Amino acid sequence: MSPPANAELSATAAAAAAHAAAAPKFSVAAPNVAYEDGKIVADYAYTSTKVHKTADGRLRVEPVTTNYKFTTDAKVPRLGVMLVGWGGNNGSTLTASIIANRNQLSWETREGTQKANYYGSLVMASTVKLGVDAEDPTKEIYVPLHDMLPMVHPNDVVIGGWDISGLNLADAMDRAKVLEPDLRRQVRDEMRAMVPLPSVYYPDFIASNQEERADNVLPGNDKQAHLDRLRQDMRDFKAAHDLDKLVVLWTANTERFADLVDGVNDSADNLLAAIARSEDEVSPSTVFAVASILEGHTFINGSPQNTFVPGVIELAERHRVQIGGDDFKSGQTKVKSVIVDFLVNAGIKPLSIASYNHLGNNDGRNLSEHKQFRSKEISKSSVVDDMVAANPILYADGEHPDHIVVIKYVPSVGDSKRALDEYNSEIFMGGRNTLSMFNTCEDSLLASPLIIDLFVLGELFSRVQYQAGAMAKPDFLHSVLSPLSYMLKAPLVPAGTPIINSLPRQRNGLEAFLRALVGLPVNNEANLEYKCFH
């Protein structure tokens, strides 16, 4: 069921908000940038570096420049966000938080009065260095990341979705026990009218302990019928709320990995035929992804399973629809991608990384079964690979730190996840250094802002086209949205693309890409103007 009328902006207010957002918050005074017909057009000289190995074992370095023309549609659409797992901790927390922000609510806590905010969202609560003050070069100018380009504001989206549990969103919010009681009281009436659509439930893919929640599922085992129903749900939701676009995002339970089977999920055509045959190894998340792609909507996977089997990726590329994943990077793994990057870049050699965490929400309950835990273990374990491979002084070819991940379900801690990490490293002259960290975090209050970042940026990138080299006409960005990697534990990237897990590099890469879209060069920290006499 969709949100009631008072949960949405009126058509007039939505149009006004979209019009205001469509006006760039700054202009670039450069011959390579134009603002025409509601579009931002930027000619961008992208410089990269190729390294050639010569016969005598030396390295020859070749700077390469490629010219791109980026065209970004500045019109911000009326956006709907459909969540798979809408009634879970993340979905109910996100919905309540957007209502609170939209209505500028405040509520009482033990610490005093708290006002609604979007803290924890990269898009809504972080800034980007634009340049230096023309009048005072010692002063740097920063702007909100959200102002780099015309972007959807989360207050303006219409939220809906599916869940295997039929609880309305108010009861789901109370079941989650994430938000303060006074805030829940203020949003309860609005959320009570929100009821998830029936979802796809194949018991073999999630833990058996989820069966008691599964009272709102599509009947039968006909996966083609389920696919058709999901596509109709998307059409109905879009039409009912007069939406321009949808983003569909999986924030439901972690599934087990699907087996990759020749003739089933290895190609787009085989996958579509496998759905028609209701093959066992087609997972619920893959059915949702296929439905979203066929309807032309960006699909993002916030869980660690292999939703994007080869057939899904090929289908997305065929239809020029964008996908992103996998697995929200909210707490322990995000910190790990900073700590290991620091250690390796400081010339310190991590020998072992032991990570333990326990939590008591439904995510932890689902992960208490081995097949579902294995999906999470895979996504958490690969996070240091690129940082280790970048330093052959510390690590020989094929060498890697010992790395173990443990997750336990402890109901009494609820959504307040505890994470303990130990980094044992080799330092100067065979010495040892141990870093131990204890991190307590509200799981859903870290994950929900990531959902905002993913649907805002995912929607933005669907409005970008580019032209480069000998291309006869513009094309959309690659279907696999690697720029979203900052928010994801196991970033999905196009074939043949290096996987970057270092959090600073992911942030710098995203910022550099946004600057390219408006025709600005990469922020140059060489600061030559301060190092030379003038």
Side-chain angles (χ1 to χ4, degrees):
M1 181 175 176
S2 55
N6 63 351
E8 306 171 36
L9 295 175
S10 69
T12 302
H19 177 76
K25 300 300 175 66
F26 60 86
S27 60
V28 178
N32 65 310
V33 181
Y35 302 90
E36 52 189 39
D37 300 325
K39 294 179 171 58
I40 302 170
V41 182
D43 291 316
Y44 186 77
Y46 171 65
T47 302
S48 57
T49 306
K50 290 185 177 180
V51 179
H52 305 269
K53 296 178 181 178
T54 62
D56 60 0
R58 295 171 62 85
L59 301 178
R60 180 171 60 86
V61 183
E62 175 191 5
V64 177
T65 299
T66 305
N67 293 312
Y68 285 84
K69 181 178 182 179
F70 291 110
T71 302
T72 304
D73 187 346
K75 180 183 178 182
V76 176
R78 181 158 163 79
L79 181 68
V81 176
M82 297 193 77
L83 302 176
V84 189
W86 189 21
N89 284 27
N90 291 343
S92 59
T93 300
L94 175 70
T95 304
S97 300
I98 287 177
I99 293 171
N101 275 278
R102 181 184 296 152
N103 295 313
Q104 300 181 332
L105 299 182
S106 60
W107 57 96
E108 295 304 314
T109 74
R110 288 179 297 178
E111 308 298 328
T113 302
Q114 175 65 52
K115 295 181 180 180
N117 62 50
Y118 281 120
Y119 289 1
S121 164
L122 181 76
V123 169
M124 300 302 298
S126 77
T127 61
V128 173
K129 178 184 171 183
L130 198 58
V132 297
D133 192 315
E135 303 300 326
D136 180 3
T138 65
K139 182 180 179 181
E140 297 178 330
I141 304 298
Y142 288 82
V143 297
L145 190 147
H146 188 268
D147 289 351
M148 285 296 292
L149 285 142
M151 300 185 198
V152 168
H153 195 289
N155 287 357
D156 300 336
V157 303
V158 181
I159 297 182
W162 306 262
D163 202 284
I164 62 172
S165 168
L167 283 186
N168 66 65
L169 266 288
D171 290 344
M173 172 182 63
D174 289 339
R175 177 179 60 189
K177 300 178 182 178
V178 174
L179 298 170
E180 293 281 354
D182 189 33
L183 172 58
R184 291 172 10 213
R185 175 186 60 79
Q186 295 182 62
V187 300
R188 183 170 286 113
D189 286 346
E190 188 166 335
M191 292 182 66
R192 187 173 290 116
M194 302 177 184
V195 180
L197 295 162
S199 193
V200 176
Y201 176 58
Y202 306 148
D204 179 51
F205 278 92
I206 60 175
S208 58
N209 57 35
Q210 299 301 301
E211 184 177 4
E212 64 193 53
R213 292 170 69 112
D215 60 5
N216 187 45
V217 301
L218 295 178
N221 299 307
D222 186 336
K223 296 186 179 183
Q224 182 64 54
H226 295 164
L227 174 66
D228 294 341
R229 172 64 182 272
L230 298 180
R231 294 183 66 181
Q232 189 62 51
D233 287 343
M234 295 174 195
R235 293 182 204 133
D236 292 345
F237 186 76
K238 186 178 178 184
H241 301 288
D242 193 25
L243 302 171
D244 300 312
K245 281 185 179 180
L246 297 181
V247 172
V248 181
L249 190 146
W250 178 279
T251 181
N253 280 321
T254 294
E255 298 172 336
R256 66 165 176 84
F257 262 47
D259 293 336
L260 299 181
V261 181
D262 290 344
V264 172
N265 46 26
D266 56 338
S267 73
D269 291 336
N270 286 343
L271 178 60
L272 293 173
I275 292 172
R277 298 193 305 269
S278 299
E279 287 279 355
D280 290 342
E281 286 307 309
V282 178
S283 68
S285 63
T286 291
V287 174
F288 272 100
V290 169
S292 188
I293 291 166
L294 292 177
E295 289 300 308
H297 306 311
T298 297
F299 182 87
I300 296 168
N301 175 34
S303 292
Q305 70 272 347
N306 60 340
T307 298
F308 299 123
V309 292
V312 172
I313 296 174
E314 182 184 330
L315 188 69
E317 292 173 347
R318 177 187 296 175
H319 288 270
R320 289 298 194 265
V321 175
Q322 291 167 334
I323 56 176
D326 295 302
D327 202 5
F328 301 134
K329 181 165 58 181
S330 58
Q332 183 181 58
T333 306
K334 182 173 284 187
V335 173
K336 188 180 296 182
S337 66
V338 175
I339 296 294
V340 175
D341 184 79
F342 150 67
L343 291 171
V344 173
N345 283 329
I348 295 171
K349 182 179 181 178
L351 299 173
S352 66
I353 306 167
S355 297
Y356 164 89
N357 54 88
H358 65 260
L359 67 167
N361 59 19
N362 193 56
D363 182 38
R365 188 172 187 230
N366 181 64
L367 292 174
S368 65
E369 294 196 7
H370 177 71
K371 288 182 180 180
Q372 287 69 36
F373 165 72
R374 180 58 182 153
S375 295
K376 179 68 76 173
E377 184 181 37
I378 291 170
S379 76
K380 287 171 91 58
S381 298
S382 60
V383 70
V384 304
D385 291 353
D386 60 310
M387 292 164 265
V388 168
N391 194 329
I393 299 172
L394 298 179
Y395 296 96
D397 187 33
E399 187 181 7
H400 199 275
D402 296 331
H403 191 183
I404 186 171
V405 176
V406 177
I407 302 174
K408 295 296 182 182
Y409 176 53
V410 181
S412 64
V413 303
D415 205 60
S416 184
K417 182 167 67 175
R418 273 70 161 170
L420 297 87
D421 293 273
E422 181 183 275
Y423 302 86
N424 181 38
S425 303
E426 182 177 352
I427 57 174
F428 189 55
M429 302 300 290
R432 291 291 187 272
N433 170 258
T434 299
L435 294 175
S436 294
M437 180 178 297
F438 181 85
N439 176 19
T440 301
C441 56
E442 300 292 334
D443 203 32
S444 300
L445 294 178
L446 290 176
S448 295
L450 298 183
I451 296 176
I452 293 171
D453 294 337
L454 288 164
F455 72 65
V456 170
L457 291 173
E459 187 287 314
L460 168 66
F461 295 144
S462 72
R463 287 185 271 128
V464 177
Q465 295 188 61
Y466 79 98
Q467 198 166 357
M471 292 174 59
K473 61 181 181 178
D475 200 354
F476 290 99
L477 298 177
H478 197 283
S479 292
V480 178
L481 287 177
S482 57
L484 302 180
S485 61
Y486 181 91
M487 281 72 71
L488 299 159
K489 284 190 185 77
L492 186 71
V493 301
T497 302
I499 298 175
I500 296 171
N501 285 293
S502 161
L503 199 71
R505 289 185 66 193
Q506 290 173 336
R507 165 69 195 237
N508 292 341
L510 175 60
E511 182 179 322
F513 184 49
L514 295 177
R515 291 177 68 89
L517 296 181
V518 296
L520 290 175
V522 174
N523 263 327
N524 194 329
E525 299 301 337
N527 292 325
L528 295 183
E529 61 268 41
Y530 308 125
K531 295 180 173 65
C532 303
F533 288 112
H534 292 284

